[in-house]
Each structure stands twice: as C-alpha cells, then as structure tokens.
Amino acid sequence: MGKSSSPRRVGDNEALSVGTTIRGSAQKLNLVAGLIRGKKVEDAMNILSFSSKAMAVEARKVLASAIANAENNHNLDVDSLVVAEASVGKAITMKRFTTRARGRSSQILKPFSRLRIVVREQEEA
C-alpha cells in the first residue's frame, strides 16, 4: 500500500516542460518569453530561432522539450499546439568576488532563472 501518485499539474490536453537553471537574469528571459506567449508552436519556434537575443537559445530548448512531451507522453497533435503559458522566475544566484584597487574587493552576481512552458492542444475553430 504505497503512496498514491501525485495528480497532474496541467490539464489533459496540455503538456509542460521546465528549464530550472538557465544562466541569465529573469528580466532578460521574460522579454524572450513574452515573444512566444499565445503563439502557435510552429511560429514560436521560428521566432526563437531567428531572434537576436541570447536567451532565445535556451527558451527554444525548453519549448522543444514541451513539444516532445506533448507528442510522446500525452499523445497530443503537434500541429494544433499553442503556447498557453510561458512563466519566468528566479533560481539561484552565484556570488563571486573580484579584486579591486587598494586591497578592496567587489561582488559579482551571476543569476540563474527558471522557465516553465505549457503547451495546449487547441481544437480547430
């Protein structure tokens, strides 16, 4: 008599993927996530592929993982997927120090971010 399995965190017609340690600030990642919210998956992949922002590379990997989860784990139709949610949050911040003049030192903050992408199968209207 084991522990019951945890319920799904998304709906039956949804799949999600989370990038937990993406190197860069949450503010910069949120700018990229805003480009793909509400878009069809095919359009979102094209936007991220040709974006000049460096964070678009990591966001594209997370989106590709969400698409693969939808196709392989939940048997959803890839052609009718839409980016339902793209939320960004802070993860850890590494703290490093560098030497400065006159025996002083200053702090360098290296932030990491989290990206959660939910794709939803949308019926053709």
Side-chain angles (χ1 to χ4, degrees):
M1 190 165 160
K3 187 172 131 184
S4 62
S5 64
S6 61
R8 281 195 66 187
R9 296 170 197 262
V10 292
D12 290 335
N13 62 342
E14 294 178 341
L16 82 113
S17 180
V18 180
T20 55
T21 53
I22 296 175
R23 178 70 178 86
S25 70
Q27 185 176 8
K28 291 177 184 177
L29 186 58
N30 195 32
L31 291 173
V32 173
L35 295 174
I36 63 170
R37 281 190 192 104
K39 300 270 195 314
K40 291 182 76 67
V41 165
E42 184 180 354
D43 297 338
M45 287 295 277
N46 285 333
I47 289 169
L48 294 176
S49 296
F50 295 107
S51 175
S52 61
K53 296 194 174 290
M55 299 297 269
V57 175
E58 296 295 326
R60 188 170 184 269
K61 290 179 189 176
V62 177
L63 179 59
S65 175
I67 294 167
N69 288 342
E71 183 178 11
N72 298 322
N73 299 344
H74 305 300
N75 298 323
L76 301 178
D77 183 26
V78 177
D79 296 328
S80 63
L81 289 178
V82 173
V83 179
E85 180 184 324
S87 58
V88 176
K90 289 183 181 179
I92 63 169
T93 300
M94 290 195 307
K95 295 171 180 73
R96 300 292 183 260
F97 291 90
T98 185
T99 54
R100 304 302 296 261
R102 300 169 67 181
R104 296 192 175 111
S105 64
S106 62
Q107 193 177 37
I108 298 173
L109 300 176
K110 298 188 173 190
F112 285 77
S113 305
R114 293 172 52 90
L115 177 61
R116 181 179 189 264
I117 293 182
V118 177
V119 292
R120 179 180 298 139
E121 188 177 38
Q122 191 170 12
E123 328 50 67
E124 300 299 323

